[in-house]
Structure formats: structure tokens, C-alpha cells
């Protein structure tokens, strides 16, 4: 398996919006997935289960900012957090064709494919080992490689 560090979207959303209200040293739980966290330094959050640390950062555009959590050790995720958020929120309804992330300028191509008999949106960008799709999951859907997709049970 690859070395990437997975960060749940629910945890990221919680920490980006509310993390700044915890004091350094405070422990807290993500209210959606119950992951345990601790504020280890200003704007730095340590996941208790594996000790991974994430820092709150911002990408600054001409008229807005996108706050996100980045792995404190500098390891890049295979998909930028802005792209993940946009594809999970809007990807299903995007028309097939090109999409450029307004935050990080990554170029994506969307198409629709059949996986396990279901029509699913598929997203590609340069440098990915395989295209991604949206995996329905709890507490939230997430992006997976098409080979890891499993159809929802119901
Ligand atoms: Zn969570
Ligand atoms: Zn992006």
C-alpha cells in the first residue's frame, strides 16, 4: 500500500471551522466519526490513533481563501484537499469533460463509466495511477480509485 495519510473530510471540516477554538493541549472528538484529536501546537492537530499531525493552512485567491489541513510532515496527498472537496460536492452533477479547480488549478477530466453495473462519475488528472470515483460511505462519501470501488449495498 502507498504511504499516503488519509484524512477524513468530516475531521477536516470540523477542525478547519472549529479547531481554532480549542486551546493547545485540548483533546476533542470529531462529532461525525469520533476520531480523537488533540491540539498539539497553535493551528496544529494530532490524531491520537496514529500520531499524525496536520496543520491548518490556507490557499489565497484574489478574493477568497480556502482553509484546509495539510500533513505536518509535508507529505502531499494524491489529490489536493480543494479538489477532493469540490469533486465530492459537485462531481456527480458535473457534465462530462474538462474541469479546472479554481483553487489549485489542477485540470481534471470527468466522464461517466459503468462499474459493477452502476453508472458512476469518474475523474482523471495527470499523475494519478488510476481514475477516481466517488465511494458512498459512512459517515460520508469519499474518493477512491476505480479498482477499489464497491457498490453500495441497498
Ligand atoms: Zn471525522
Ligand atoms: Zn484543487
Amino acid at each position: 500500500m502507498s504511504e499516503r495519510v488519509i484524512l477524513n473530510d468530516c475531521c477536516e471540516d470540523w477542525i478547519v471551522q472549529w479547531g481554532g477554538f480549542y486551546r493547545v493541549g485540548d483533546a476533542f472528538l470529531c462529532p461525525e466519526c469520533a476520531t480523537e484529536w488533540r491540539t498539539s501546537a497553535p493551528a496544529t492537530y494530532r490524531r491520537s490513533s496514529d500520531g499524525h499531525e496536520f496543520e491548518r493552512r490556507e490557499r489565497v485567491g484574489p478574493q477568497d481563501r480556502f482553509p484546509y489541513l495539510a500533513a505536518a510532515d509535508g507529505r502531499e496527498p494524491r489529490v489536493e484537499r480543494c479538489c477532493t472537496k469540490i469533486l465530492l460536492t459537485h462531481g456527480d452533477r458535473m457534465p462530462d469533460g474538462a474541469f479546472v479547480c479554481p483553487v489549485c488549478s489542477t485540470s481534471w477530466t470527468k466522464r461517466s463509466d459503468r462499474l459493477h453495473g452502476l453508472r458512476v462519475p469518474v475523474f482523471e488528472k495527470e499523475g494519478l495511477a488510476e481514475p477516481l470515483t466517488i465511494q458512498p460511505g459512512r459517515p460520508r462519501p469519499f474518493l477512491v480509485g476505480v479498482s477499489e470501488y464497491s457498490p453500495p449495498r441497498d
Side-chain angles (χ1 to χ4, degrees), residues 59 66 79-87 99-108:
R59 282 188 185 266
F66 176 77
V79 178
E80 295 289 341
R81 302 299 302 174
C82 42
C83 295
T84 298
K85 181 153 266 189
I86 288 169
L87 294 179
F99 169 74
V100 177
C101 174
V103 181
C104 70
S105 303
T106 296
S107 295
W108 291 91

PDB file of all heavy atoms in Angstrom, residues 59 66 79-87 99-108, ligand 2:
ATOM      1  N   ARG A  59      -5.045  28.444   1.142  1.00  0.00           N
ATOM      2  CA  ARG A  59      -4.658  28.874  -0.199  1.00  0.00           C
ATOM      3  C   ARG A  59      -5.384  30.179  -0.440  1.00  0.00           C
ATOM      4  O   ARG A  59      -6.594  30.268  -0.233  1.00  0.00           O
ATOM      5  CB  ARG A  59      -5.084  27.849  -1.244  1.00  0.00           C
ATOM      6  CG  ARG A  59      -4.167  26.639  -1.317  1.00  0.00           C
ATOM      7  CD  ARG A  59      -4.573  25.794  -2.499  1.00  0.00           C
ATOM      8  NE  ARG A  59      -3.809  24.559  -2.553  1.00  0.00           N
ATOM      9  CZ  ARG A  59      -2.687  24.407  -3.276  1.00  0.00           C
ATOM     10  NH1 ARG A  59      -2.194  25.413  -3.973  1.00  0.00           N
ATOM     11  NH2 ARG A  59      -2.073  23.247  -3.292  1.00  0.00           N
ATOM     12  N   PHE A  66      -9.057  29.527   0.847  1.00  0.00           N
ATOM     13  CA  PHE A  66      -9.516  28.168   1.084  1.00  0.00           C
ATOM     14  C   PHE A  66      -8.683  27.585   2.222  1.00  0.00           C
ATOM     15  O   PHE A  66      -7.521  27.242   2.044  1.00  0.00           O
ATOM     16  CB  PHE A  66      -9.368  27.322  -0.183  1.00  0.00           C
ATOM     17  CG  PHE A  66      -9.740  25.877   0.027  1.00  0.00           C
ATOM     18  CD1 PHE A  66     -11.069  25.503   0.099  1.00  0.00           C
ATOM     19  CD2 PHE A  66      -8.766  24.899   0.189  1.00  0.00           C
ATOM     20  CE1 PHE A  66     -11.431  24.179   0.323  1.00  0.00           C
ATOM     21  CE2 PHE A  66      -9.114  23.576   0.414  1.00  0.00           C
ATOM     22  CZ  PHE A  66     -10.447  23.222   0.480  1.00  0.00           C
ATOM     23  N   VAL A  79      -4.485  13.783  -4.001  1.00  0.00           N
ATOM     24  CA  VAL A  79      -5.418  14.774  -4.541  1.00  0.00           C
ATOM     25  C   VAL A  79      -5.479  15.924  -3.543  1.00  0.00           C
ATOM     26  O   VAL A  79      -5.615  15.707  -2.342  1.00  0.00           O
ATOM     27  CB  VAL A  79      -6.834  14.159  -4.702  1.00  0.00           C
ATOM     28  CG1 VAL A  79      -7.815  15.201  -5.216  1.00  0.00           C
ATOM     29  CG2 VAL A  79      -6.792  12.963  -5.651  1.00  0.00           C
ATOM     30  N   GLU A  80      -5.335  17.141  -4.046  1.00  0.00           N
ATOM     31  CA  GLU A  80      -5.403  18.313  -3.173  1.00  0.00           C
ATOM     32  C   GLU A  80      -6.753  18.359  -2.468  1.00  0.00           C
ATOM     33  O   GLU A  80      -7.771  17.919  -3.007  1.00  0.00           O
ATOM     34  CB  GLU A  80      -5.237  19.593  -4.007  1.00  0.00           C
ATOM     35  CG  GLU A  80      -3.885  19.737  -4.659  1.00  0.00           C
ATOM     36  CD  GLU A  80      -2.775  20.034  -3.668  1.00  0.00           C
ATOM     37  OE1 GLU A  80      -3.070  20.485  -2.548  1.00  0.00           O
ATOM     38  OE2 GLU A  80      -1.610  19.794  -4.016  1.00  0.00           O
ATOM     39  N   ARG A  81      -6.745  18.918  -1.257  1.00  0.00           N
ATOM     40  CA  ARG A  81      -7.986  18.953  -0.483  1.00  0.00           C
ATOM     41  C   ARG A  81      -9.074  19.763  -1.184  1.00  0.00           C
ATOM     42  O   ARG A  81     -10.253  19.447  -1.083  1.00  0.00           O
ATOM     43  CB  ARG A  81      -7.730  19.533   0.906  1.00  0.00           C
ATOM     44  CG  ARG A  81      -6.708  18.787   1.715  1.00  0.00           C
ATOM     45  CD  ARG A  81      -7.061  17.360   2.010  1.00  0.00           C
ATOM     46  NE  ARG A  81      -8.330  17.233   2.721  1.00  0.00           N
ATOM     47  CZ  ARG A  81      -8.909  16.067   2.994  1.00  0.00           C
ATOM     48  NH1 ARG A  81      -8.359  14.943   2.602  1.00  0.00           N
ATOM     49  NH2 ARG A  81     -10.040  16.035   3.651  1.00  0.00           N
ATOM     50  N   CYS A  82      -8.686  20.818  -1.869  1.00  0.00           N
ATOM     51  CA  CYS A  82      -9.692  21.631  -2.566  1.00  0.00           C
ATOM     52  C   CYS A  82     -10.384  20.791  -3.639  1.00  0.00           C
ATOM     53  O   CYS A  82     -11.612  20.800  -3.772  1.00  0.00           O
ATOM     54  CB  CYS A  82      -9.059  22.878  -3.174  1.00  0.00           C
ATOM     55  SG  CYS A  82      -7.456  22.598  -3.973  1.00  0.00           S
ATOM     56  N   CYS A  83      -9.592  20.030  -4.404  1.00  0.00           N
ATOM     57  CA  CYS A  83     -10.170  19.194  -5.460  1.00  0.00           C
ATOM     58  C   CYS A  83     -11.074  18.120  -4.855  1.00  0.00           C
ATOM     59  O   CYS A  83     -12.168  17.864  -5.352  1.00  0.00           O
ATOM     60  CB  CYS A  83      -9.065  18.522  -6.270  1.00  0.00           C
ATOM     61  SG  CYS A  83      -8.021  19.671  -7.189  1.00  0.00           S
ATOM     62  N   THR A  84     -10.607  17.504  -3.779  1.00  0.00           N
ATOM     63  CA  THR A  84     -11.416  16.471  -3.126  1.00  0.00           C
ATOM     64  C   THR A  84     -12.773  17.038  -2.739  1.00  0.00           C
ATOM     65  O   THR A  84     -13.816  16.457  -3.016  1.00  0.00           O
ATOM     66  CB  THR A  84     -10.697  15.960  -1.854  1.00  0.00           C
ATOM     67  OG1 THR A  84      -9.466  15.368  -2.256  1.00  0.00           O
ATOM     68  CG2 THR A  84     -11.537  14.942  -1.115  1.00  0.00           C
ATOM     69  N   LYS A  85     -12.725  18.188  -2.100  1.00  0.00           N
ATOM     70  CA  LYS A  85     -13.973  18.786  -1.628  1.00  0.00           C
ATOM     71  C   LYS A  85     -14.898  19.122  -2.799  1.00  0.00           C
ATOM     72  O   LYS A  85     -16.096  18.844  -2.758  1.00  0.00           O
ATOM     73  CB  LYS A  85     -13.629  20.042  -0.825  1.00  0.00           C
ATOM     74  CG  LYS A  85     -14.817  20.736  -0.271  1.00  0.00           C
ATOM     75  CD  LYS A  85     -14.446  21.509   0.973  1.00  0.00           C
ATOM     76  CE  LYS A  85     -14.709  20.636   2.176  1.00  0.00           C
ATOM     77  NZ  LYS A  85     -14.598  21.300   3.448  1.00  0.00           N
ATOM     78  N   ILE A  86     -14.352  19.690  -3.842  1.00  0.00           N
ATOM     79  CA  ILE A  86     -15.176  20.085  -4.989  1.00  0.00           C
ATOM     80  C   ILE A  86     -15.732  18.848  -5.701  1.00  0.00           C
ATOM     81  O   ILE A  86     -16.920  18.792  -6.027  1.00  0.00           O
ATOM     82  CB  ILE A  86     -14.361  20.976  -5.949  1.00  0.00           C
ATOM     83  CG1 ILE A  86     -14.149  22.352  -5.309  1.00  0.00           C
ATOM     84  CG2 ILE A  86     -15.073  21.105  -7.303  1.00  0.00           C
ATOM     85  CD1 ILE A  86     -13.150  23.235  -6.025  1.00  0.00           C
ATOM     86  N   LEU A  87     -14.896  17.834  -5.906  1.00  0.00           N
ATOM     87  CA  LEU A  87     -15.383  16.649  -6.634  1.00  0.00           C
ATOM     88  C   LEU A  87     -16.445  15.912  -5.822  1.00  0.00           C
ATOM     89  O   LEU A  87     -17.422  15.416  -6.377  1.00  0.00           O
ATOM     90  CB  LEU A  87     -14.221  15.718  -6.983  1.00  0.00           C
ATOM     91  CG  LEU A  87     -13.204  16.291  -7.974  1.00  0.00           C
ATOM     92  CD1 LEU A  87     -12.083  15.291  -8.228  1.00  0.00           C
ATOM     93  CD2 LEU A  87     -13.847  16.714  -9.289  1.00  0.00           C
ATOM     94  N   PHE A  99     -12.577  20.023 -16.284  1.00  0.00           N
ATOM     95  CA  PHE A  99     -12.861  20.871 -15.133  1.00  0.00           C
ATOM     96  C   PHE A  99     -11.524  21.321 -14.546  1.00  0.00           C
ATOM     97  O   PHE A  99     -10.620  20.507 -14.357  1.00  0.00           O
ATOM     98  CB  PHE A  99     -13.661  20.106 -14.070  1.00  0.00           C
ATOM     99  CG  PHE A  99     -13.757  20.857 -12.769  1.00  0.00           C
ATOM    100  CD1 PHE A  99     -14.595  21.962 -12.659  1.00  0.00           C
ATOM    101  CD2 PHE A  99     -12.981  20.497 -11.679  1.00  0.00           C
ATOM    102  CE1 PHE A  99     -14.654  22.693 -11.479  1.00  0.00           C
ATOM    103  CE2 PHE A  99     -13.037  21.220 -10.484  1.00  0.00           C
ATOM    104  CZ  PHE A  99     -13.881  22.313 -10.389  1.00  0.00           C
ATOM    105  N   VAL A 100     -11.402  22.608 -14.276  1.00  0.00           N
ATOM    106  CA  VAL A 100     -10.174  23.120 -13.661  1.00  0.00           C
ATOM    107  C   VAL A 100     -10.508  23.616 -12.257  1.00  0.00           C
ATOM    108  O   VAL A 100     -11.407  24.437 -12.077  1.00  0.00           O
ATOM    109  CB  VAL A 100      -9.562  24.258 -14.513  1.00  0.00           C
ATOM    110  CG1 VAL A 100      -8.321  24.826 -13.824  1.00  0.00           C
ATOM    111  CG2 VAL A 100      -9.209  23.755 -15.903  1.00  0.00           C
ATOM    112  N   CYS A 101      -9.785  23.118 -11.277  1.00  0.00           N
ATOM    113  CA  CYS A 101     -10.026  23.533  -9.889  1.00  0.00           C
ATOM    114  C   CYS A 101      -9.663  25.014  -9.750  1.00  0.00           C
ATOM    115  O   CYS A 101      -8.547  25.405 -10.081  1.00  0.00           O
ATOM    116  CB  CYS A 101      -9.187  22.693  -8.934  1.00  0.00           C
ATOM    117  SG  CYS A 101      -9.313  23.265  -7.217  1.00  0.00           S
ATOM    118  N   PRO A 102     -10.599  25.835  -9.253  1.00  0.00           N
ATOM    119  CA  PRO A 102     -10.306  27.271  -9.139  1.00  0.00           C
ATOM    120  C   PRO A 102      -9.264  27.568  -8.069  1.00  0.00           C
ATOM    121  O   PRO A 102      -8.648  28.625  -8.085  1.00  0.00           O
ATOM    122  CB  PRO A 102     -11.666  27.871  -8.751  1.00  0.00           C
ATOM    123  CG  PRO A 102     -12.420  26.750  -8.118  1.00  0.00           C
ATOM    124  CD  PRO A 102     -11.944  25.487  -8.784  1.00  0.00           C
ATOM    125  N   VAL A 103      -9.061  26.655  -7.155  1.00  0.00           N
ATOM    126  CA  VAL A 103      -8.144  26.917  -6.036  1.00  0.00           C
ATOM    127  C   VAL A 103      -6.705  26.579  -6.415  1.00  0.00           C
ATOM    128  O   VAL A 103      -5.795  27.387  -6.245  1.00  0.00           O
ATOM    129  CB  VAL A 103      -8.581  26.109  -4.789  1.00  0.00           C
ATOM    130  CG1 VAL A 103      -7.647  26.405  -3.621  1.00  0.00           C
ATOM    131  CG2 VAL A 103     -10.022  26.430  -4.416  1.00  0.00           C
ATOM    132  N   CYS A 104      -6.487  25.364  -6.930  1.00  0.00           N
ATOM    133  CA  CYS A 104      -5.109  24.914  -7.174  1.00  0.00           C
ATOM    134  C   CYS A 104      -4.800  24.757  -8.659  1.00  0.00           C
ATOM    135  O   CYS A 104      -3.686  24.371  -9.008  1.00  0.00           O
ATOM    136  CB  CYS A 104      -4.845  23.600  -6.446  1.00  0.00           C
ATOM    137  SG  CYS A 104      -5.733  22.190  -7.147  1.00  0.00           S
ATOM    138  N   SER A 105      -5.791  25.023  -9.515  1.00  0.00           N
ATOM    139  CA  SER A 105      -5.615  24.989 -10.975  1.00  0.00           C
ATOM    140  C   SER A 105      -5.333  23.596 -11.552  1.00  0.00           C
ATOM    141  O   SER A 105      -4.886  23.480 -12.684  1.00  0.00           O
ATOM    142  CB  SER A 105      -4.508  25.935 -11.441  1.00  0.00           C
ATOM    143  OG  SER A 105      -4.791  27.240 -11.023  1.00  0.00           O
ATOM    144  N   THR A 106      -5.579  22.552 -10.793  1.00  0.00           N
ATOM    145  CA  THR A 106      -5.434  21.199 -11.354  1.00  0.00           C
ATOM    146  C   THR A 106      -6.495  20.988 -12.441  1.00  0.00           C
ATOM    147  O   THR A 106      -7.647  21.364 -12.264  1.00  0.00           O
ATOM    148  CB  THR A 106      -5.616  20.143 -10.244  1.00  0.00           C
ATOM    149  OG1 THR A 106      -4.566  20.293  -9.306  1.00  0.00           O
ATOM    150  CG2 THR A 106      -5.598  18.730 -10.808  1.00  0.00           C
ATOM    151  N   SER A 107      -6.080  20.389 -13.555  1.00  0.00           N
ATOM    152  CA  SER A 107      -7.016  20.067 -14.633  1.00  0.00           C
ATOM    153  C   SER A 107      -7.532  18.650 -14.457  1.00  0.00           C
ATOM    154  O   SER A 107      -6.742  17.712 -14.353  1.00  0.00           O
ATOM    155  CB  SER A 107      -6.315  20.149 -15.994  1.00  0.00           C
ATOM    156  OG  SER A 107      -5.934  21.461 -16.238  1.00  0.00           O
ATOM    157  N   TRP A 108      -8.824  18.507 -14.449  1.00  0.00           N
ATOM    158  CA  TRP A 108      -9.488  17.220 -14.316  1.00  0.00           C
ATOM    159  C   TRP A 108     -10.299  16.935 -15.572  1.00  0.00           C
ATOM    160  O   TRP A 108     -10.743  17.861 -16.242  1.00  0.00           O
ATOM    161  CB  TRP A 108     -10.450  17.226 -13.120  1.00  0.00           C
ATOM    162  CG  TRP A 108      -9.766  17.288 -11.800  1.00  0.00           C
ATOM    163  CD1 TRP A 108      -9.437  18.403 -11.094  1.00  0.00           C
ATOM    164  CD2 TRP A 108      -9.322  16.168 -11.019  1.00  0.00           C
ATOM    165  NE1 TRP A 108      -8.810  18.046  -9.923  1.00  0.00           N
ATOM    166  CE2 TRP A 108      -8.729  16.686  -9.855  1.00  0.00           C
ATOM    167  CE3 TRP A 108      -9.372  14.775 -11.209  1.00  0.00           C
ATOM    168  CZ2 TRP A 108      -8.183  15.859  -8.874  1.00  0.00           C
ATOM    169  CZ3 TRP A 108      -8.834  13.958 -10.236  1.00  0.00           C
ATOM    170  CH2 TRP A 108      -8.247  14.504  -9.082  1.00  0.00           C
TER     171      TRP A 108
HETATM  172 ZN1  LIG B   2      -7.815  21.859  -6.218  1.00  0.00          ZN
END
